[in-house]
Amino acid sequence: MTQPLWKPTTQQVESTNLHGFIEHVNHTYGHRYTTYDELYSWSLEEPDQFWQATWHFCHVIAGLQGTTVIEHRNQMEQARFFPQARLNYAENLLRQTGPQDAIVFWGENKVRQRLSHDDLRQKVAQMASALRSNGIKQGDCVAGFVPNSPEAVIAMLAAASIGAVWSSCSPDFGVQGVLDRFIQIEPKIIFSADGYYYGGKSFDSTAKLKEIVDKLPSVQKTIIWNYAGGDLKLSDIPHSCTWADFIHGHQDAQLTFEPLPFNHPLFIMFSSGTTGKPKCIVHGAGGTLLEHLKEHQLHCDIKPGDRVFYFTTCGWMMWNWLVSALASNATLLLYDGSPIEPDGNTLFNLADEEGMTLFGGSAKYIDALAKTGIKPIQTHKLNTIRMITSTGSPLVPESFDYVYSSIKKDVCLASISGGTDIIGCFALGNPTDAVWRGELQTRSLGMAVHVYNDQGHPVTQEKGELVCTAPFPSMPICFWNDNNNELYHKAYFNRFPNIWCHGDFVELTEHNGLIIYGRSDAVLNPGGIRIGTAEIYRQVEQIDEILESIAVGQDWEGDVRVILFVKLRPGFSLSEDLKKRIKLEIRENASPRHVPSKIIQVADIPRTRSGKIVELAVREVIHNRMVKNLEALANPEALDLYKDLAELKNGTS
């Protein structure tokens, strides 16, 4: 493709935070940079200057910054940023006062709520005072089994203001899935709503909550609020009280913040857990804050007064990412429930009614919109949206086309990628440069991102491993209960010494963007040729009859053969003609190596609770191996569809 899908005007470029940051860097350090690529190179060559400039440009609130920026910079696992600094994450998020909206909340079409900045500050003060009076102190764990509601934000900020550590799961998690996570971290307090809404229906959370708390001896208090209109039976739930009762007597509390080290634990995030017990990834307050400020203000162009939305649950790191937008003086638009009920327009209604400036969702959500033929460009104004972001899985080129043809033409479309491991992104948007079809726009400032081949050499316009060769602030500070950092080292530094290996199979393009072909551990290897699963999905899911697909490798006669499972639209079946069309599409637009040996129709495709399909779990099932943690899946029953399939026991196509 010789022309980009979108390119900002000179006026748009000059209005961005990124343009202002380049001017700030030029003025402070005597440079004459004009392009993003120049800025990116400088951010790697002079990391001390870059992170200091980011700190000042984004107005980090701190009692002390200190003189050292990076300690042990040549040893990635031991590197520490701003070791002398003292700050508080919650103080940075609660910096704004006044009657303007801090949070706007939609719980499907059942609940709407607004909190001003003054309201939010007061509610956090009340909850923090109540937590302190119940013995919560620095380093204690506070957990949420919570919908994406204002109460979740308030509880998290209250914990952070004290120096307690926050961790959360969404209420659609099963009991064992929650216990697999919370038993490891031993929370003293659990927050929960009585239930939640999804698809126009209400679901009770209290029965699951009782089972969870019964098996968590560490819990001293369970705090519940009424959201889904259920009849709260507190007597059934150990150590329970209502939110109102818990804060009673603290209504006039003053907001205070504990000054904490830069690397003080803030969040415990969890790996997906599809291959074993979820790993407890601990992220520090300063690294999370600084990385999110950089991503929000420089890469997503979030300005004071902007209204920022991401479709997420409290079980996905994008919730933490979204909430941090308060530190950029933005308003949070929270939505809990189904994104497509009743007619696929709900989130676009939210965008128009609330003046949304950043619209965030998953690649699968955008693909689902395209499949249903929804065209918001014809039904909604969407004139306030400046950026659309997508993550969770690679955004296929055809979805880029869909956004510009059917959602909005004049918008920066940023397919972003990183993960729970870094509570941020290695690849992001760039509001000052072009959007190229199928590409993530740019590598994240201050992140030494490269692509390595199997020999550990950097390559361009070749597929390989995504690595980061220098430390960055949002690396995990540790894994919870990980003796001698053994799990931490194995997760990221085992393959290339002193280099972070992220586990994505990618390509660095001629535009200095990235294309992601899937997870490295799910890469197919027929005949010794490495194939990213996203390369197959891109072709298959353009066929009208197919809703979704999943590809895995099956060990067969000393090699690996590609097996493709397809979920079809209602009313369609996998005919021989459709199989031929699928294979022809893949052969002509990918390569003969990509063509599956077998194509099998299934009724459902297993996925994690954040919506990612799970190739590894399917691969285990078809090889009659045990899937270690079914509770990590949103629909574990779907795996039964892949057991003992007769089609996989013979060599015919």
Side-chain angles (χ1 to χ4, degrees), residues 39-54:
L39 182 69
Y40 178 73
S41 295
W42 170 78
S43 76
L44 305 189
E45 293 162 3
E46 300 290 347
D48 286 54
Q49 293 180 5
F50 169 73
W51 290 110
Q52 278 187 321
T54 303

Side-chain angles (χ1 to χ4, degrees), residues 332 447 510 548:
L332 305 184
M447 307 284 232
E510 61 180 316
E548 199 170 15

